[in-house]
Amino acid sequence: MIAGRVPQCNIKIKMNLSKQIIILGAVLLAGICSAAVTVKSLRCEYLSNPLGIDATSPRLSWIITSNRKGETQTAYQILVASSPQLLSGGQADLWDSGKVSSDESSQIIYSGLPLVSRERCFWKVRTWDRDDKVSDWSPDAQWTMGLLQPDDWQAKWIVSNPSINDTNGSLLIRHAAYEAVGQGHVVDVTAVLNAQIKQGRLKIVVNNQTMGGDPALHAVKRLRVEYEYGGRTLQKEIQENQTLILPGEVSPLPYLRKSFELKSPVQRAVLYVTALGLYEVHINGQRVGDHVLAPDWTDYRRRVRYQTFDVTGLLKRGGNAMGALLADGWFSGHIGNGGYEFYGRQPAFLAQLEVTYQDGQTERIVTDDSWRMHGSPIISSDFMLGEDYDARLEIKGWDKPGLDESQWSAVGVREESALQLDPQVMPPVRELFKLSPKTIKTSGPGSWICDLGQNMVGVVRLKVSAPAGTRITLRHAEMLNPDGTLYTANLRGAPSIDHYVCHGGGGEIWQPRFTFHGFRYVEISGLARRPAQDAIAGIVIGSDTPRTGEFACSDARLNQLESNIQWGQRGNYISIPTDCPQRDERLGWMGDAEVFIHTASYNADVAAFFTKWLVDVDDAQSPAGAFSNVSPNPSNDKGGVPAWGDAGVICPWTIYEMYGDRRVLERHLPAMIKWVDFLKSHSDGLIRDRDRGEDFGDWLSIHADTPKDLIGTAFFAYSTHLLAKSCRVLGREAEADKYDQLFADIKTAFNQRYVTRDGHVQGETQCGYAMALKFDLLPEDLRPQAGQYLAADIKAKGGHLSTGFIGVSYLLPVLTQAGQADTAYGLLQQDTFPSWLFSVKQGATTIWERWDGWTPEKGFQNPGMNSFNHYSLGSCGEYLFGFIGGIRPASPGFKTILIDPVIRDGLTWAKTSFASIHGKIATAWKVKGNRLTLEVVVPANTTATVIVPAQSITDVTEDGKCVTNAKGVRFLRQEDGKALFEVGSGKYTFASKIK
Ligand code: BGC
């Protein structure tokens, strides 16, 4: 608690007497009537007004703001009612918490009447301030419950083609030749193709990768196939980068629809809807909601997420219609690393519309065999291939009542008995921004390349006027070849080509619905004339996690790096945390998620996003306890890989640290225990020298191979340590003791095996030292030495790092904490290879997968693995916020805050803010000569320890006054050139002498 002080006001303000009286009156009135705080930003399960949740004791949070320094909440009262009317009348029929003495304003567990399916909960909160004065009520907020019981669902899964599950005859490739046109180089790929046939069908993108090699460099390739199907021998020829589909052509994506009558005026209507695949749903000609690529990716063999929409305003008495478009998506389209039709052959749709009439009667319109289907203008759509749309096939009024359905056919109904229906608990993927082309250049006869100026993820919105039948092709790429053409080699089996066929008549606007690409450049061809500037727009999509972090400093290159990190996250948090958005991968790689989560949770509010994904992580855990390499896991990998598998422990722990979320620990503790027990039983003498699965080591390090068993053992120790801490948080003391002991034993084994008496870590790599320091694996007295060896290695490499994905995320914090902050600054501002700023210097607008994705000397890296939008190496973002900005949690969820900016030569100022679950924290520091000013903003109801670099407390002022007289500031102690203070909420301006 901060001791209250009498403010020393030396500011003279001239004003007339009447004004003074009015202000004095207002101040007195405010003092008597209510607290000086405002309560706002009400959220339930991290979301604003969520619909259809399944947490039966959901967690509530709010933010308090105040103009007073040192403001705290001493109590709160929450009212929850079943209608807005009851709530405004103060009748909390679901829950009246009463006045609860507490300073907690987040993770407050609803403890009212049991909540049932469809329940509507309207709520508000008021708080008491530090003087026990009550605030006004917050604005009303709400949440609703979803369908909690399986038998709440009457809807049936429908499919467009009832016969598609039948075996349609067998397919055999008799002969297939992949050849370099006109050069005589031919590769026999008959076996390659036959191996890809699944359930009598084959769909494969033709390129060097999928065909098992390049028959001739720099030559145009094609595939010729002779195959047998239905008793006939047939032939097909296809160009490189096109998709071979056998047998025959696929049918277009379906329109699904249902006409229905509503007999009287509607009071309320709620739609529960989802798909195995992707859907877009419309009612009476209007699109429902703004979700893109819904539902999010889960392991569809066991779980799918449904969405809930209030559609009251879309319905009317009399004739109505509901229509849907349905696509393959992750369910039956191409997914990472060659997966195709992994979960099933045909997508399915599920919808339950629940209508309450004004007279209280109810009615349900559900998907069943009465729905009708028709081919849509979307000829095909696939994440990797792209989307193909023929506007001439549009059916006017397909989603409106009164359509002639005589040409529409019956749908099929499919049983999905093993599937669990869970609600959407995270922000959906949405359209986030629109980018306009920076340049449009001719790239050949009838084709132009637009540069959007930013490597982005999403689709192009096309605006054209061209005659009916004009076929426009859009090709996407992250980079350009030296000759100015699109660099697409790194897309591997993801050609990312969209086609649009015009219906004619002018003013056509189109964008693909069910695919996305990672690109900066788009080539448009098929138009008779150069496209107008507004013909192309980049529509950026991503999981709509609210941005929380802002950073800027005196080095413009670091500001670009920070922007690149933010863009990397935006483009790769698409439903799940993916590795990259452009090539045929886009998987939930666990290692990538794990190294980046800390940075991610500074950049954006990712609590709900991880709440959902961590369920996918547990779903993918093997029965033996091995966490997988990717989650969801559409492959046969057995997991168990150091650092990648450890995401199953590190991610829940990070969410706990950043948001104070105990429930995430509770929910995932069983899986965390299974993982640590798995590691123990797959080690010898607590050394992980076996069973490490595919083991990627310190992936993409630069000539610095850290022994893989050492990495395995280090992560085994770290996961065990975090598990022990998690048990402790949850009050499971006996288990906490057990895993603390195990951690101590692994540490002993680690030191015996890998650490010399003078603190050298085997392998002498930066990654090895970074892990040993970060994971607390060294005896206390050896830590400084290890820090010095680490700094010495960086120096010996000319001020360069050598770490890959794993070591890189710990490097800067451990250097700083080991007293090597100058080296950390040097590394961060290094701009020759390998370094963060090397790619920035080359004009990067996102984080590259490799330190040398492109170099002036060698050009592009191996296209087999050369993504220009991979966030992992951007995990240094944590350092920008937590160390340069100096904003770190002193207790989980930033209820108490540590403000400890690291200020070194190289930067003269830095401005950082982070919107924590308790409100916005900010720092801004500036150095001029030997003078430092540090502005700090601490949100209401939190306290902070502020560390001000200063030789002595006598050198420190706050708000221009000697700091000992400053209001709300308590001096703690002076240590090592730093003065430590405790402050309550408010804005402070410290100044000190630093040299
Ligand atoms: C992915 C990575 C991933 C790695 C495993 C790559 O193909 O793109 O980001 O972590 O495989 O080493």
Side-chain angles (χ1 to χ4, degrees), residues 579-580 583 585 589 592 644 696 699 805 849 865 870 872:
D579 56 336
C580 56
R583 69 176 177 230
E585 193 145 358
W589 279 100
D592 307 41
W644 271 253
F696 310 111
W699 186 245
F805 277 25
E849 176 174 28
M865 223 187 69
H870 237 76
S872 296

Side-chain angles (χ1 to χ4, degrees), residues 14 360 393 406 446 489 533 551 594 666 742 917 988:
K14 278 191 190 162
L393 303 178
S406 57
Q533 191 69 18
F551 174 86
E594 173 257 302
E666 243 158 48
L742 178 59
I917 197 165
Y988 303 87

Side-chain angles (χ1 to χ4, degrees), residues 874-946:
S875 58
C876 58
E878 174 193 351
Y879 191 77
L880 305 181
F881 287 95
F883 290 81
I884 295 182
I887 300 172
R888 302 210 288 281
S891 63
F894 292 83
K895 181 78 173 82
T896 56
I897 303 158
L898 178 65
I899 302 287
D900 184 11
V902 177
I903 299 165
R904 288 292 183 280
D905 288 345
L907 291 182
T908 54
W909 61 268
K911 219 173 153 191
T912 311
S913 71
F914 169 62
S916 76
I917 197 165
H918 289 99
K920 192 164 176 171
I921 307 163
T923 62
W925 58 259
K926 199 162 43 184
V927 177
K928 212 168 177 193
N930 63 355
R931 297 294 298 166
L932 166 73
T933 42
L934 169 63
E935 285 176 18
V936 176
V937 178
V938 177
N941 201 30
T942 66
T943 56
T945 301
V946 181

Side-chain angles (χ1 to χ4, degrees), residues 158 176 296 442 476 501 514 533 568 581 612 645 650 687 689 797 863 971 973:
I158 58 170
D296 292 299
T442 308
H476 305 78
V501 179
F514 299 117
Q533 191 69 18
K612 179 263 177 191
I650 295 169
I687 296 294
D689 51 6
K797 291 186 162 65
F971 176 61
R973 62 186 177 277

Side-chain angles (χ1 to χ4, degrees), residues 17 45 67 355 369 380 392 394 460 595-596 626 638 652 740 750 765 774 797 830 848 856 915 929:
L17 189 66
E45 290 293 314
N67 291 330
V355 178
D369 60 8
S380 65
R392 295 169 303 179
E394 284 170 358
V460 161
V595 299
F596 192 72
K638 301 274 184 296
D740 264 339
F750 183 90
T765 63
K774 165 76 185 176
K797 291 186 162 65
Q830 173 63 267
W848 295 355

